[in-house]
């Protein structure tokens, strides 16, 4: 587990976010952290997380294989995810995936021979109002079709970083993994971009016009209900 000092310092910074006795909750950001270094969840990464949290490697592996954001094989700089769930599928998501698969000569969860691009099906990308959608390292490219998708991956193959429809400028999978571990974006350019779109705001506009607001709440209310006295 020959991780550099910076990774070990970041791991300690992650641990102190959690209350004493709840440190195991740090496993998810720790997995993102080792992925930012290795490019995937390696055996060394699993052993490192187990050591830091004083749990077994089997426990770490069980979590790392449950969530699709953790890659168990080396992934490319660019993770291209194509939504093929209900609405995206109805609007051509599978055709988009097939076109990219032919262009890149890879199938689901496979990486191009040059190690640059990983392609995957995505069950839902939570952007039905922009279907069909493709993401690159979790940044959105909306209202896609086969031609637009091919242009997108060709730009990536040529070393360019096309601008997403919404969200921050593209960064590599390793770079986004650092952010998912809970650390600040280091690029000034990362603060640019637009995180909203007209389709998303349409509901908010209609609610405002109709005078609809969310229910109020008491900010002083405890997050956890008190245990009944008789249960103690």
């Amino acid at each position: 587990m020959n991780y550099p000092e910076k990774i070990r310092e970041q791991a300690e910074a992650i641990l102190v976010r959690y209350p004493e006795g709840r440190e195991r909750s740090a496993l998810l950001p720790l997995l993102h952290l080792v992925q930012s270094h290795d490019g995937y969840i390696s055996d060394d990464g699993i052993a490192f997380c187990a050591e830091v949290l004083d749990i077994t490697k089997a426990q770490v592996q069980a979590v790392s294989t449950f969530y699709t954001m953790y890659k168990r094989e080396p992934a490319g700089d660019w993770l291209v995810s194509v939504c093929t769930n209900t609405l995206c599928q109805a609007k051509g998501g599978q055709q988009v995936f097939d076109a990219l698969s032919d262009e890149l000569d890879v199938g689901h969860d496979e990486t191009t021979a040059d190690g640059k691009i990983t392609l995957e099906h995505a069950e839902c990308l939570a952007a039905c109002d922009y279907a069909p959608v493709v993401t690159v390292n979790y940044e959105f490219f909306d209202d896609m079709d086969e031609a637009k998708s091919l242009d997108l991956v060709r730009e990536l193959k040529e070393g360019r970083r096309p601008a997403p429809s919404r969200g921050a400028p593209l960064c590599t999978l390793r770079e986004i993994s650092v952010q998912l571990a809970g650390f600040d974006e280091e690029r000034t350019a990362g603060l640019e971009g637009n995180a909203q779109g007209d389709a998303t705001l349409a509901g908010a506009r209609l609610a405002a016009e109709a005078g609809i607001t969310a229910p109020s709440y008491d900010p002083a209310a405890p997050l956890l209900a008190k245990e009944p006295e008789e249960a103690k």
Side-chain angles (χ1 to χ4, degrees):
M1 294 179 292
N2 188 26
Y3 284 96
E5 188 61 29
K6 181 178 180 180
I7 293 294
R8 294 183 176 275
E9 290 174 356
Q10 288 176 311
E12 288 300 319
I14 289 171
L15 284 183
V16 299
R17 300 173 190 162
Y18 298 88
E20 185 177 353
R22 302 288 182 89
E23 293 88 351
R24 184 171 173 174
S25 297
L27 179 54
L28 298 185
L30 282 173
L31 285 167
H32 284 301
L33 180 65
V34 295
Q35 185 161 269
S36 76
H37 182 268
D38 297 333
Y40 71 113
I41 306 300
S42 64
D43 290 342
D44 281 348
I46 286 176
F48 177 76
C49 291
E51 175 191 289
V52 169
L53 295 175
D54 193 24
I55 58 178
T56 68
K57 290 186 285 188
Q59 289 171 314
V60 177
Q61 184 163 346
V63 173
S64 71
T65 55
F66 182 83
Y67 296 102
T68 59
M69 293 178 81
Y70 302 123
K71 304 304 176 189
R72 289 309 318 275
E73 298 292 336
D77 289 336
W78 309 111
L79 174 65
V80 177
S81 309
V82 182
C83 182
T84 53
N85 212 330
T86 308
L87 186 55
C88 285
Q89 172 81 326
K91 297 188 71 176
Q94 185 62 51
Q95 289 91 322
V96 168
F97 181 89
D98 291 342
L100 293 181
S101 180
D102 289 343
E103 171 75 13
L104 299 171
D105 195 27
V106 296
H108 167 65
D109 207 22
E110 293 181 351
T111 301
T112 54
D114 62 4
K116 294 296 184 183
I117 300 175
T118 298
L119 179 66
E120 68 175 7
H121 279 284
E123 280 303 305
C124 183
L125 294 174
C128 297
D129 37 357
Y130 301 99
V133 293
V134 173
T135 63
V136 178
N137 295 343
Y138 313 115
E139 299 294 352
F140 286 101
F141 292 82
D142 302 329
D143 302 310
M144 298 298 279
D145 57 27
E146 294 162 69
K148 291 178 183 176
S149 300
L150 290 173
D151 287 343
L152 169 62
V153 297
R154 286 167 183 164
E155 286 195 64
L156 294 174
K157 288 164 68 175
E158 291 168 2
R160 298 201 295 270
R161 299 191 181 197
S165 303
R166 296 172 287 127
L170 287 185
C171 58
T172 66
L173 184 61
R174 292 183 188 230
E175 290 168 340
I176 196 63
S177 294
V178 175
Q179 296 176 51
L180 291 170
F183 297 98
D184 290 340
E185 163 67 271
E186 295 180 351
R187 303 173 304 154
T188 302
L191 301 177
E192 301 171 358
N194 177 21
Q196 60 194 24
D198 284 342
T200 304
L201 296 176
R205 286 197 297 268
L206 290 172
E209 291 169 5
I212 300 171
T213 60
S216 61
Y217 72 100
D218 179 5
L223 294 177
L224 298 175
K226 291 184 178 180
E227 186 178 355
E229 288 294 327
E230 59 272 17
K232 293 182 179 179

